[in-house]
PDB file of all heavy atoms in Angstrom:
ATOM      1  N   THR A1522      -7.126  -7.063  28.624  1.00  0.00           N
ATOM      2  CA  THR A1522      -6.478  -7.360  27.336  1.00  0.00           C
ATOM      3  C   THR A1522      -7.361  -7.917  26.341  1.00  0.00           C
ATOM      4  O   THR A1522      -7.899  -8.908  26.532  1.00  0.00           O
ATOM      5  CB  THR A1522      -5.308  -8.378  27.714  1.00  0.00           C
ATOM      6  OG1 THR A1522      -4.375  -7.911  28.751  1.00  0.00           O
ATOM      7  CG2 THR A1522      -4.549  -8.719  26.443  1.00  0.00           C
ATOM      8  N   ILE A1523      -7.497  -7.239  25.238  1.00  0.00           N
ATOM      9  CA  ILE A1523      -8.361  -7.596  24.141  1.00  0.00           C
ATOM     10  C   ILE A1523      -7.688  -8.110  23.072  1.00  0.00           C
ATOM     11  O   ILE A1523      -6.770  -7.569  22.474  1.00  0.00           O
ATOM     12  CB  ILE A1523      -9.115  -6.346  23.750  1.00  0.00           C
ATOM     13  CG1 ILE A1523      -9.977  -5.633  24.908  1.00  0.00           C
ATOM     14  CG2 ILE A1523     -10.173  -6.641  22.558  1.00  0.00           C
ATOM     15  CD1 ILE A1523     -10.318  -4.245  24.764  1.00  0.00           C
ATOM     16  N   ASP A1524      -7.974  -9.397  22.701  1.00  0.00           N
ATOM     17  CA  ASP A1524      -7.400 -10.060  21.482  1.00  0.00           C
ATOM     18  C   ASP A1524      -8.258  -9.815  20.288  1.00  0.00           C
ATOM     19  O   ASP A1524      -9.296 -10.389  20.059  1.00  0.00           O
ATOM     20  CB  ASP A1524      -7.366 -11.536  21.751  1.00  0.00           C
ATOM     21  CG  ASP A1524      -6.661 -12.308  20.657  1.00  0.00           C
ATOM     22  OD1 ASP A1524      -6.278 -11.684  19.671  1.00  0.00           O
ATOM     23  OD2 ASP A1524      -6.387 -13.474  20.791  1.00  0.00           O
ATOM     24  N   LEU A1525      -7.819  -8.868  19.475  1.00  0.00           N
ATOM     25  CA  LEU A1525      -8.616  -8.500  18.351  1.00  0.00           C
ATOM     26  C   LEU A1525      -8.811  -9.607  17.384  1.00  0.00           C
ATOM     27  O   LEU A1525      -9.753  -9.400  16.523  1.00  0.00           O
ATOM     28  CB  LEU A1525      -7.969  -7.139  17.755  1.00  0.00           C
ATOM     29  CG  LEU A1525      -7.920  -5.927  18.651  1.00  0.00           C
ATOM     30  CD1 LEU A1525      -6.942  -4.842  18.061  1.00  0.00           C
ATOM     31  CD2 LEU A1525      -9.296  -5.402  18.905  1.00  0.00           C
ATOM     32  N   ALA A1526      -7.982 -10.476  17.302  1.00  0.00           N
ATOM     33  CA  ALA A1526      -7.997 -11.498  16.254  1.00  0.00           C
ATOM     34  C   ALA A1526      -9.219 -12.439  16.550  1.00  0.00           C
ATOM     35  O   ALA A1526      -9.943 -13.006  15.617  1.00  0.00           O
ATOM     36  CB  ALA A1526      -6.860 -12.366  16.101  1.00  0.00           C
ATOM     37  N   SER A1527      -9.552 -12.564  17.840  1.00  0.00           N
ATOM     38  CA  SER A1527     -10.634 -13.413  18.235  1.00  0.00           C
ATOM     39  C   SER A1527     -11.836 -12.721  18.773  1.00  0.00           C
ATOM     40  O   SER A1527     -12.958 -13.327  18.944  1.00  0.00           O
ATOM     41  CB  SER A1527     -10.116 -14.411  19.254  1.00  0.00           C
ATOM     42  OG  SER A1527      -9.780 -13.705  20.430  1.00  0.00           O
ATOM     43  N   ALA A1528     -11.901 -11.378  18.908  1.00  0.00           N
ATOM     44  CA  ALA A1528     -12.884 -10.700  19.457  1.00  0.00           C
ATOM     45  C   ALA A1528     -13.996 -10.407  18.370  1.00  0.00           C
ATOM     46  O   ALA A1528     -15.106 -10.002  18.840  1.00  0.00           O
ATOM     47  CB  ALA A1528     -12.404  -9.361  20.004  1.00  0.00           C
ATOM     48  N   GLU A1529     -13.790 -10.653  17.077  1.00  0.00           N
ATOM     49  CA  GLU A1529     -14.708 -10.414  16.005  1.00  0.00           C
ATOM     50  C   GLU A1529     -15.240  -8.996  16.101  1.00  0.00           C
ATOM     51  O   GLU A1529     -14.493  -7.978  16.228  1.00  0.00           O
ATOM     52  CB  GLU A1529     -15.787 -11.512  15.981  1.00  0.00           C
ATOM     53  CG  GLU A1529     -15.216 -12.822  15.958  1.00  0.00           C
ATOM     54  CD  GLU A1529     -16.345 -13.844  15.919  1.00  0.00           C
ATOM     55  OE1 GLU A1529     -17.421 -13.581  16.289  1.00  0.00           O
ATOM     56  OE2 GLU A1529     -16.084 -15.038  15.455  1.00  0.00           O
ATOM     57  N   ASP A1530     -16.600  -8.791  15.983  1.00  0.00           N
ATOM     58  CA  ASP A1530     -17.082  -7.416  15.805  1.00  0.00           C
ATOM     59  C   ASP A1530     -17.378  -6.819  17.160  1.00  0.00           C
ATOM     60  O   ASP A1530     -17.737  -5.684  17.148  1.00  0.00           O
ATOM     61  CB  ASP A1530     -18.417  -7.514  14.958  1.00  0.00           C
ATOM     62  CG  ASP A1530     -18.103  -8.136  13.610  1.00  0.00           C
ATOM     63  OD1 ASP A1530     -17.038  -7.834  13.036  1.00  0.00           O
ATOM     64  OD2 ASP A1530     -19.201  -8.460  12.989  1.00  0.00           O
ATOM     65  N   ALA A1531     -17.050  -7.457  18.250  1.00  0.00           N
ATOM     66  CA  ALA A1531     -17.414  -6.836  19.568  1.00  0.00           C
ATOM     67  C   ALA A1531     -16.461  -5.722  19.867  1.00  0.00           C
ATOM     68  O   ALA A1531     -16.640  -4.822  20.618  1.00  0.00           O
ATOM     69  CB  ALA A1531     -17.448  -7.996  20.649  1.00  0.00           C
ATOM     70  N   PHE A1532     -15.224  -5.872  19.420  1.00  0.00           N
ATOM     71  CA  PHE A1532     -14.248  -4.921  19.602  1.00  0.00           C
ATOM     72  C   PHE A1532     -13.541  -4.500  18.314  1.00  0.00           C
ATOM     73  O   PHE A1532     -12.980  -5.340  17.504  1.00  0.00           O
ATOM     74  CB  PHE A1532     -13.070  -5.472  20.553  1.00  0.00           C
ATOM     75  CG  PHE A1532     -13.560  -5.988  21.985  1.00  0.00           C
ATOM     76  CD1 PHE A1532     -14.050  -7.250  22.064  1.00  0.00           C
ATOM     77  CD2 PHE A1532     -13.475  -5.139  22.964  1.00  0.00           C
ATOM     78  CE1 PHE A1532     -14.474  -7.637  23.234  1.00  0.00           C
ATOM     79  CE2 PHE A1532     -13.921  -5.513  24.261  1.00  0.00           C
ATOM     80  CZ  PHE A1532     -14.490  -6.784  24.407  1.00  0.00           C
ATOM     81  N   GLU A1533     -13.689  -3.309  17.948  1.00  0.00           N
ATOM     82  CA  GLU A1533     -13.210  -2.724  16.623  1.00  0.00           C
ATOM     83  C   GLU A1533     -12.276  -1.526  16.853  1.00  0.00           C
ATOM     84  O   GLU A1533     -12.427  -0.629  17.621  1.00  0.00           O
ATOM     85  CB  GLU A1533     -14.379  -2.132  15.764  1.00  0.00           C
ATOM     86  CG  GLU A1533     -15.369  -3.274  15.385  1.00  0.00           C
ATOM     87  CD  GLU A1533     -14.911  -4.190  14.315  1.00  0.00           C
ATOM     88  OE1 GLU A1533     -13.732  -4.014  14.028  1.00  0.00           O
ATOM     89  OE2 GLU A1533     -15.739  -4.933  13.727  1.00  0.00           O
ATOM     90  N   LEU A1534     -11.023  -1.727  16.292  1.00  0.00           N
ATOM     91  CA  LEU A1534     -10.046  -0.548  16.311  1.00  0.00           C
ATOM     92  C   LEU A1534      -9.670  -0.247  14.912  1.00  0.00           C
ATOM     93  O   LEU A1534      -9.314  -1.162  13.993  1.00  0.00           O
ATOM     94  CB  LEU A1534      -8.875  -1.146  17.018  1.00  0.00           C
ATOM     95  CG  LEU A1534      -7.556  -0.217  16.974  1.00  0.00           C
ATOM     96  CD1 LEU A1534      -7.670   0.914  17.791  1.00  0.00           C
ATOM     97  CD2 LEU A1534      -6.376  -0.982  17.407  1.00  0.00           C
ATOM     98  N   TYR A1535      -9.696   1.143  14.588  1.00  0.00           N
ATOM     99  CA  TYR A1535      -9.498   1.540  13.222  1.00  0.00           C
ATOM    100  C   TYR A1535      -8.397   2.593  13.226  1.00  0.00           C
ATOM    101  O   TYR A1535      -8.304   3.425  14.168  1.00  0.00           O
ATOM    102  CB  TYR A1535     -10.788   2.119  12.603  1.00  0.00           C
ATOM    103  CG  TYR A1535     -11.955   1.145  12.408  1.00  0.00           C
ATOM    104  CD1 TYR A1535     -12.891   1.005  13.273  1.00  0.00           C
ATOM    105  CD2 TYR A1535     -11.983   0.379  11.164  1.00  0.00           C
ATOM    106  CE1 TYR A1535     -14.045  -0.013  12.977  1.00  0.00           C
ATOM    107  CE2 TYR A1535     -12.994  -0.572  10.931  1.00  0.00           C
ATOM    108  CZ  TYR A1535     -13.976  -0.681  11.823  1.00  0.00           C
ATOM    109  OH  TYR A1535     -15.061  -1.541  11.615  1.00  0.00           O
ATOM    110  N   LEU A1536      -7.680   2.707  12.135  1.00  0.00           N
ATOM    111  CA  LEU A1536      -6.840   3.780  11.789  1.00  0.00           C
ATOM    112  C   LEU A1536      -7.500   4.327  10.483  1.00  0.00           C
ATOM    113  O   LEU A1536      -7.642   3.750   9.489  1.00  0.00           O
ATOM    114  CB  LEU A1536      -5.460   3.266  11.390  1.00  0.00           C
ATOM    115  CG  LEU A1536      -4.454   4.382  10.861  1.00  0.00           C
ATOM    116  CD1 LEU A1536      -4.344   5.515  11.976  1.00  0.00           C
ATOM    117  CD2 LEU A1536      -3.109   3.829  10.554  1.00  0.00           C
ATOM    118  N   GLU A1537      -7.945   5.674  10.666  1.00  0.00           N
ATOM    119  CA  GLU A1537      -8.635   6.347   9.501  1.00  0.00           C
ATOM    120  C   GLU A1537      -7.708   7.462   9.075  1.00  0.00           C
ATOM    121  O   GLU A1537      -7.014   8.205   9.808  1.00  0.00           O
ATOM    122  CB  GLU A1537      -9.866   6.825  10.095  1.00  0.00           C
ATOM    123  CG  GLU A1537     -10.864   5.693  10.398  1.00  0.00           C
ATOM    124  CD  GLU A1537     -12.200   6.304  10.902  1.00  0.00           C
ATOM    125  OE1 GLU A1537     -12.257   7.423  11.152  1.00  0.00           O
ATOM    126  OE2 GLU A1537     -13.174   5.397  10.738  1.00  0.00           O
ATOM    127  N   TYR A1538      -7.750   7.658   7.676  1.00  0.00           N
ATOM    128  CA  TYR A1538      -7.002   8.779   7.066  1.00  0.00           C
ATOM    129  C   TYR A1538      -7.981   9.643   6.232  1.00  0.00           C
ATOM    130  O   TYR A1538      -8.764   9.149   5.480  1.00  0.00           O
ATOM    131  CB  TYR A1538      -5.978   8.186   6.224  1.00  0.00           C
ATOM    132  CG  TYR A1538      -5.136   9.265   5.540  1.00  0.00           C
ATOM    133  CD1 TYR A1538      -3.961   9.919   6.188  1.00  0.00           C
ATOM    134  CD2 TYR A1538      -5.398   9.664   4.287  1.00  0.00           C
ATOM    135  CE1 TYR A1538      -3.328  10.804   5.619  1.00  0.00           C
ATOM    136  CE2 TYR A1538      -4.559  10.749   3.700  1.00  0.00           C
ATOM    137  CZ  TYR A1538      -3.542  11.221   4.379  1.00  0.00           C
ATOM    138  OH  TYR A1538      -2.803  12.309   3.792  1.00  0.00           O
ATOM    139  N   TYR A1539      -8.004  10.933   6.565  1.00  0.00           N
ATOM    140  CA  TYR A1539      -9.008  11.733   6.008  1.00  0.00           C
ATOM    141  C   TYR A1539      -8.428  12.780   4.961  1.00  0.00           C
ATOM    142  O   TYR A1539      -7.177  12.785   4.677  1.00  0.00           O
ATOM    143  CB  TYR A1539      -9.564  12.706   7.130  1.00  0.00           C
ATOM    144  CG  TYR A1539     -10.508  12.003   8.019  1.00  0.00           C
ATOM    145  CD1 TYR A1539      -9.928  11.202   9.098  1.00  0.00           C
ATOM    146  CD2 TYR A1539     -11.839  12.078   7.848  1.00  0.00           C
ATOM    147  CE1 TYR A1539     -10.788  10.476  10.041  1.00  0.00           C
ATOM    148  CE2 TYR A1539     -12.705  11.282   8.825  1.00  0.00           C
ATOM    149  CZ  TYR A1539     -12.254  10.588   9.733  1.00  0.00           C
ATOM    150  OH  TYR A1539     -13.058   9.965  10.623  1.00  0.00           O
ATOM    151  N   SER A1540      -9.265  13.334   4.217  1.00  0.00           N
ATOM    152  CA  SER A1540      -8.961  14.245   3.029  1.00  0.00           C
ATOM    153  C   SER A1540      -8.333  15.604   3.564  1.00  0.00           C
ATOM    154  O   SER A1540      -7.742  16.328   2.827  1.00  0.00           O
ATOM    155  CB  SER A1540     -10.175  14.479   2.111  1.00  0.00           C
ATOM    156  OG  SER A1540     -11.167  15.046   2.812  1.00  0.00           O
TER     157      SER A1540
END
Side-chain angles (χ1 to χ4, degrees):
T1522 300
I1523 302 161
D1524 182 356
L1525 294 170
S1527 60
E1529 297 182 345
D1530 295 336
F1532 299 87
E1533 298 282 11
L1534 171 68
Y1535 291 99
L1536 173 61
E1537 298 180 340
Y1538 183 81
Y1539 287 82
S1540 58

